[in-house]
Amino acid sequence: MTNQEIANYCLHLLEDNKEWIARFAGYADKLNRESSSYRQNRRKFHVKRPLSVYTNVSKATGGHEYDLRYKGQSVGTIYVDGNKVLLTTKPQRMRKSGEYYFSWEKEAVKVDWHSAEATTFRKHFVDLLRGDEKTKSPEHNIESHMLQELSKTLRKQKKLLCHIQPVKLSGCFFQMPTPFSASKHQFAPEYTGSRGGGIDILARVRHSSSDIRLCVCELKDENKASEPEKAVTQQAIAYATFIGKLIKTQEANNASWWKLFGFSRDIPDHMDIDVVTVMPPSNTYNTTERYEEVVVLPGIDVSLHLHSVYFEADSTGEIQSILGSLKENIESPCK
């Protein structure tokens, strides 16, 4: 299918399967009710790199639970109970087929965040940076580094792609859920309801016209023939089509989602969304083919602007360079 046909097909799936409307309206209600307390609880503990704090819709609506990650992989859970902050370690999440990752082989514990045990646990991951430690998911590692890179705010931080910031929930990284999954065989989207895939990186981008757009990024740690860039683009189109439909559907509590995504102005009559593949460079796909392509979502007045971002990373996953059509469209001096 062409890119336009993928978008049309996704809109058709959303019309035929309307359970998502009430479900996402409920998510927004819960997030709005809990956001103040969840943000306040987040301020009760401090996490330093290389560790990061993530959340999801389920955790953010519970009010007290946070996901602690190293290189994008969950290594612990932080709980806030009143003024008490607790850490539960997850050694079982650092093991696959009997092999340990990150050299942590101790049993799971639940301890005070400020205890000696918790301090030793956090220091372990700082010390790992001095070595070449194997990671369970290279793609999650790259995604984590990309989120850190995009979260930089100033040129003096040597930000490689300016005028873009990830959308966060209460200051935490998260993957926005969707009701779509990509077929592993035909790369066509499938409606899978509450089991749908999450957007790798949902961001806000400021263009040179001062237009601020939502940006749906689909990231891969490799650029390979078995998962070509065109297929990755169409997966991102499916997710972006859902975001466009969500923001244009009043019954889904669209105004609350718009605010949760970081916008204070009213939802525009016409909305532009950037759709971006984020991958290592390759000479096997002609990127100029999609450089100016715009996919229109009929009936809801949304345009999807397709872009590519190519990165180079070092052996640890740290992003070293970024180029591509999105950068060329928004590049100007960082403030």
Side-chain angles (χ1 to χ4, degrees):
M1 289 190 283
T2 67
N3 292 334
Q4 184 65 62
E5 288 170 338
I6 287 288
N8 294 346
Y9 179 63
C10 289
L11 285 174
H12 176 73
L13 290 176
L14 293 171
E15 286 295 323
D16 281 356
N17 303 274
K18 294 189 176 182
E19 63 80 26
W20 65 270
I21 297 177
R23 182 157 53 87
F24 276 82
Y27 291 162
D29 283 338
K30 290 180 180 179
L31 287 169
N32 280 327
R33 285 199 307 269
E34 300 293 339
S35 62
S36 178
S37 62
Y38 196 72
R39 186 177 293 273
Q40 288 176 7
N41 283 337
R42 173 65 184 88
R43 293 169 180 160
K44 294 177 182 178
F45 60 92
H46 182 63
V47 173
K48 296 181 180 179
R49 291 192 68 183
L51 295 169
S52 300
V53 182
Y54 286 66
T55 191
N56 54 38
V57 169
S58 177
K59 285 182 172 61
T61 54
H64 65 274
E65 187 176 328
Y66 306 81
D67 191 17
L68 185 67
R69 296 191 185 187
Y70 175 72
K71 292 189 175 182
Q73 182 180 328
S74 181
V75 296
T77 301
I78 302 169
Y79 301 89
V80 178
D81 183 9
N83 290 322
K84 183 180 293 186
V85 181
L86 302 172
L87 168 68
T88 297
T89 61
K90 293 182 176 181
Q92 72 279 9
R93 298 296 298 274
M94 293 183 275
R95 186 169 62 237
K96 183 178 181 181
S97 301
E99 182 179 4
Y100 283 90
Y101 294 83
F102 310 143
S103 303
W104 187 265
E105 301 182 17
K106 297 181 181 179
E107 294 298 319
V109 295
K110 188 172 185 177
V111 295
D112 188 276
W113 177 255
H114 302 289
S115 67
E117 294 96 327
T119 301
T120 298
F121 182 76
R122 296 193 298 272
K123 184 177 182 298
H124 173 78
F125 296 99
V126 174
D127 293 340
L128 279 182
L129 290 178
R130 300 167 187 158
D132 185 19
E133 193 68 26
K134 186 177 182 180
T135 181
K136 188 174 182 180
S137 172
E139 189 163 289
H140 286 172
N141 182 32
I142 291 291
E143 181 184 296
S144 176
H145 281 289
M146 185 62 71
L147 282 166
Q148 295 290 349
E149 176 61 37
L150 299 184
S151 296
K152 294 178 181 177
T153 57
L154 301 173
R155 171 71 76 179
K156 66 182 180 181
Q157 293 179 293
K158 298 181 180 179
K159 186 168 184 174
L160 299 173
L161 184 63
C162 296
H163 311 303
I164 182 170
Q165 282 290 319
V167 172
K168 298 179 180 180
L169 283 182
S170 298
C172 304
F173 294 135
F174 88 111
Q175 286 190 324
M176 177 65 189
T178 80
F180 290 131
S181 295
S183 167
K184 294 182 179 179
H185 301 290
Q186 299 177 354
F187 299 106
E190 298 177 351
Y191 188 93
T192 52
S194 60
R195 296 179 291 106
I199 297 171
D200 287 342
I201 300 175
L202 182 65
R204 293 184 305 275
V205 173
R206 178 165 60 85
H207 287 254
S208 56
S209 62
S210 295
D211 177 32
I212 300 178
R213 302 177 183 175
L214 282 172
C215 177
V216 173
C217 300
E218 185 66 18
L219 182 145
K220 300 296 177 185
D221 66 314
E222 295 181 284
N223 198 330
K224 54 187 180 181
S226 61
E227 196 169 18
E229 186 174 355
K230 184 175 181 180
V232 179
T233 296
Q234 294 191 340
Q235 185 176 351
I237 288 172
Y239 293 162
T241 300
F242 170 70
I243 294 296
K245 184 69 170 176
L246 175 67
I247 296 301
K248 288 303 187 87
T249 303
Q250 188 173 354
E251 296 83 359
N253 210 342
N254 59 342
S256 293
W257 282 110
W258 188 241
K259 183 177 180 181
L260 286 165
F261 292 158
F263 295 94
S264 57
R265 57 186 171 90
D266 293 338
I267 297 173
D269 293 332
H270 175 80
M271 184 168 65
D272 295 294
I273 299 176
D274 289 323
V275 181
V276 185
T277 57
V278 183
M279 311 174 74
S282 172
N283 295 324
T284 62
Y285 185 62
N286 181 11
T287 59
T288 59
E289 179 181 324
R290 296 191 294 107
Y291 182 77
E292 295 294 340
E293 185 174 356
V294 177
V295 173
V296 176
L297 303 186
I300 60 173
D301 206 4
V302 175
S303 296
L304 308 182
H305 299 257
L306 309 188
H307 294 285
S308 299
V309 161
Y310 300 103
F311 66 85
E312 292 183 346
D314 64 18
S315 60
T316 70
E318 192 82 31
I319 308 300
Q320 300 297 307
S321 65
I322 292 177
L323 53 88
S325 63
L326 180 67
K327 183 169 184 174
E328 293 170 15
N329 271 259
I330 65 175
E331 184 65 15
S332 61
C334 291
K335 294 181 179 180

